[in-house]
Amino acid sequence: MSSNSGIAVGLNKGHKITSIKKRKSYKQTSRRIKHPRTAFAREVIREVSGFAPYEKRLLELLRNNQDKKSVRFAKRRLGTQNRAIRKKDEMTRALQQERMAAKKKE
């Protein structure tokens, strides 16, 4: 950016100013850092409340190996493709944990 000269005409026309330096914004979501306390709270909530009805349907679709259909369904419910893919991965992990728990019981 060119500095202003204080003259009303020309390439650098305008008042002389000192620019304010912007601070860097550190958002928790942009860095994807999970605090252990937050992870624990989410785990407890998931354990107590279980899955939402649309998540149960996603699990059924994934059990039947309909990955593409499950992503399309999640996209309709969640709004964006990235959220849908992330939710599908989460449900896949939940399904794997369910299967591991069933194996341990045997």
Side-chain angles (χ1 to χ4, degrees):
M1 186 172 126
S2 60
S3 63
N4 298 332
S5 64
I7 301 174
V9 292
L11 291 175
N12 298 327
K13 66 181 177 180
H15 291 288
K16 286 187 176 181
I17 58 168
T18 56
S19 59
I20 299 169
K21 293 182 181 177
K22 291 184 179 179
R23 283 193 215 164
K24 278 188 177 179
S25 63
Y26 293 102
K27 292 183 180 176
Q28 199 76 11
T29 54
S30 65
R31 291 190 292 165
R32 301 272 181 241
I33 294 174
K34 282 188 179 177
H35 196 277
R37 185 172 51 223
T38 308
F40 175 72
R42 286 184 181 155
E43 184 182 325
V44 168
I45 290 167
R46 172 67 75 190
E47 192 175 316
V48 170
S49 63
F51 294 111
Y54 83 95
E55 290 176 333
K56 288 177 185 174
R57 184 161 175 204
L58 267 174
L59 286 171
E60 280 301 314
L61 289 170
L62 290 170
R63 280 190 191 108
N64 297 329
N65 293 327
Q66 294 179 327
D67 292 351
K68 190 173 180 180
K69 194 175 238 183
S70 68
V71 171
R72 273 190 296 156
F73 174 73
K75 184 177 181 283
R76 273 190 235 117
R77 296 300 161 116
L78 298 171
T80 67
Q81 185 76 13
N82 286 336
R83 286 177 187 168
I85 291 169
R86 203 176 305 138
K87 181 59 78 172
K88 184 200 73 139
D89 293 340
E90 182 186 333
M91 292 295 109
T92 305
R93 275 186 257 115
L95 202 59
Q96 286 174 347
Q97 287 176 349
E98 204 175 280
R99 288 176 180 158
M100 292 294 284
K103 268 190 178 180
K104 286 183 180 179
K105 282 187 178 181
E106 289 178 356

